[in-house]
Amino acid sequence: MDGKIKTGVIGAGRIGRLHAENIVNNIREAEIKAIADINTENVKDWANELGINNVYDDYRRIIADPEIEAVLICSSTDTHAQIIIEAANAGKHIFCEKPIDFSIDRIYEALDAVDKNGVKLQIGFNRRFDHNFKKVRDLVKEGEIGTPHIIRITSRDPEPPPIEYVKRSGGIFLDMTIHDFDMARYLSGSDVVEVYTNAAVLVDPAIGEAGDADTAVISLKFANGAIGVIDNSRKAAYGYDQRVEVFGSEGCVTVSNDTPTSAVLSTQSGVISDKPKYFFLERYQDSFVTEMRAFFDSIINDSEPPVNGVDGLKPILIALAAKESYETGRPVKVEEA
């Protein structure tokens, strides 16, 4: 397997396993040498099936391995910044799942370590790599709709997460809407400068008891003068609702939900089509492969990763502003975060 980028995966939960399987099955330029997870007994059989023989309970063994050139950080959020710092100091290129951290100071520490050591850092905002959303961005960038005026993003989950997850997630804005904040920047080609949030607990009272909201509408002002709106719900009875629209001075581009098939049955009794794909693993499967290929391409070509550390920081700042707006009932400028 000479010439392949030897890689270590830290964290073998749902997303870590997804990335590992995608690399083994789809990324010829990379080889997974080792996986680290605190629950090794739950990982060994799965790793062996993928041909990965090194399974550790301490991620530092991956950091210390001089053969490993790149690491994927798929562990819990509270470990991300520290592992980024350690990996950067060891000279390893880094792919890190979002968010980098809940603390702005810790994010800056991590980004400083990346810059100081000259390594690559890509953040896991996979929706940028969805073929539909990329097409929207390309059309906006090429001027096909003129000057963007309104950006609308709908993002609704099919079911709320477990309450224990809600308690440690950082809240809806840092856990769920953060993808939409990144998408708003990506589609508009502009930074968000002000946020106003209306949110409520309409799905599950236990989410409110945990100090969070489950339903939100967030108004955005962009630096380029455009305005935007994001609507979120933790539960859409019909499935995973993911739609966008960018309206401009010369036209409009929209993306509807992906469905298992495009067949539409029309009869005297009604018109029937498939519901949206159930959740993010089904909806965004191809985007996860594409983002991983982009990460390794940036290493091979010594180019800037398409979603860098600053792209990881700015949605956090927007999320913190959205949270403050929810708590205070007033518009909040992102720079206040």
Side-chain angles (χ1 to χ4, degrees):
M1 305 187 77
D2 291 343
K4 294 195 174 187
I5 300 169
K6 289 186 169 55
T7 303
V9 177
I10 300 172
R14 178 170 58 179
I15 197 68
R17 293 187 182 214
L18 175 69
H19 288 318
E21 290 168 4
N22 283 340
I23 290 171
V24 169
N25 296 323
N26 298 285
I27 311 296
R28 293 178 298 173
E29 299 84 358
E31 169 197 354
I32 299 179
K33 182 179 179 183
I35 290 180
D37 193 273
I38 57 175
N39 298 309
T40 55
E41 291 306 314
N42 296 329
V43 174
K44 286 180 179 177
D45 289 345
W46 163 80
N48 288 337
E49 288 177 5
L50 291 179
I52 304 165
N53 298 319
N54 299 308
V55 178
Y56 308 140
D57 61 5
D58 186 350
Y59 73 85
R60 293 177 182 86
R61 294 184 65 181
I62 288 177
I63 302 295
D65 188 332
E67 285 193 344
I68 291 178
E69 301 173 64
V71 297
L72 275 59
I73 303 174
C74 308
S75 49
S76 59
T77 297
D78 59 344
T79 67
H80 288 181
Q82 182 60 35
I83 298 176
I84 288 174
I85 293 168
E86 292 179 31
N89 288 337
K92 302 190 189 304
H93 303 296
I94 304 156
F95 177 95
C96 182
E97 274 300 327
K98 63 83 188 168
I100 299 173
D101 200 272
F102 296 141
S103 163
I104 299 302
D105 289 340
R106 285 294 281 167
I107 293 174
Y108 277 119
E109 287 179 34
L111 299 189
D112 284 346
V114 169
D115 288 341
K116 184 177 92 172
N117 291 283
V119 296
K120 311 293 184 188
L121 171 63
Q122 181 170 320
I123 305 303
F125 283 119
N126 65 289
R127 296 183 193 179
R128 288 188 180 215
F129 300 91
D130 174 73
H131 63 287
N132 294 315
F133 296 158
K134 184 180 184 302
K135 182 65 173 180
V136 173
R137 173 61 187 137
D138 290 346
L139 291 171
V140 172
K141 191 173 182 179
E142 292 161 8
E144 292 294 329
I145 64 156
T147 302
H149 289 177
I150 300 171
I151 292 89
R152 297 179 59 88
I153 300 172
T154 291
S155 182
R156 303 167 186 164
D157 287 353
E159 292 288 344
I163 294 302
E164 287 307 310
Y165 175 86
V166 171
K167 291 177 180 177
R168 66 177 188 272
S169 69
I172 188 171
F173 308 115
L174 284 160
D175 174 57
M176 180 180 178
T177 325
I178 191 169
H179 277 289
D180 306 311
F181 294 140
D182 178 68
M183 187 54 51
R185 294 185 65 240
Y186 176 64
L187 295 180
S188 68
S190 179
D191 281 321
V192 175
V193 296
E194 187 176 281
V195 179
Y196 178 66
T197 303
N198 270 315
V201 180
L202 302 175
V203 173
D204 185 350
I207 292 176
E209 292 167 8
D212 198 10
D214 56 35
T215 308
V217 175
I218 303 155
S219 298
L220 310 172
K221 288 185 180 179
F222 293 86
N224 65 1
I227 57 177
V229 62
I230 297 169
D231 76 84
N232 290 148
S233 175
R234 285 292 197 182
K235 183 174 182 178
Y238 48 85
Y240 194 39
D241 194 351
Q242 300 283 288
R243 291 172 283 146
V244 303
E245 174 185 290
V246 183
F247 171 81
S249 58
E250 303 295 330
C252 180
V253 55
T254 63
V255 168
S256 299
N257 283 309
D258 267 6
T259 55
T261 75
S262 60
V264 178
L265 172 64
S266 301
T267 69
Q268 186 176 13
S269 59
V271 178
I272 303 171
S273 63
D274 288 347
K275 294 191 297 183
K277 291 179 179 178
Y278 180 68
F279 207 10
F280 72 94
L281 291 179
E282 294 85 357
R283 170 64 178 82
Y284 291 115
Q285 173 60 51
D286 291 343
S287 73
F288 287 112
V289 176
T290 306
E291 76 167 344
M292 199 54 55
R293 186 169 286 118
F295 171 60
F296 288 108
D297 283 348
S298 75
I299 297 172
I300 294 166
N301 300 319
D302 191 22
S303 58
E304 181 71 10
V307 191
N308 61 29
V310 173
D311 293 320
L313 167 65
K314 290 192 173 183
I316 296 286
L317 297 174
I318 303 169
L320 293 174
K323 183 178 181 182
E324 183 177 342
S325 177
Y326 171 48
E327 293 171 347
T328 62
R330 65 176 180 85
V332 174
K333 293 190 181 301
V334 174
E335 65 184 15
E336 295 179 33

Short mmCIF file of all heavy atoms in Angstrom, two decimals, residues 6 251 298:
data_model
loop_
_atom_site.label_atom_id
_atom_site.label_comp_id
_atom_site.label_asym_id
_atom_site.label_seq_id
_atom_site.Cartn_x
_atom_site.Cartn_y
_atom_site.Cartn_z
N LYS A 6 -1.19 7.32 5.30
CA LYS A 6 -1.56 6.54 6.49
C LYS A 6 -2.32 7.45 7.45
O LYS A 6 -1.89 8.55 7.77
CB LYS A 6 -0.32 5.94 7.14
CG LYS A 6 0.29 4.80 6.32
CD LYS A 6 1.43 4.12 7.05
CE LYS A 6 1.83 2.84 6.33
NZ LYS A 6 2.19 3.03 4.91
N GLY A 251 -33.18 36.44 -10.60
CA GLY A 251 -33.77 35.11 -10.60
C GLY A 251 -33.72 34.45 -9.25
O GLY A 251 -33.43 35.08 -8.22
N SER A 298 -6.36 17.83 -0.63
CA SER A 298 -5.64 19.01 -0.15
C SER A 298 -4.27 18.64 0.38
O SER A 298 -3.32 19.43 0.27
CB SER A 298 -6.46 19.72 0.94
OG SER A 298 -6.43 19.03 2.18
#
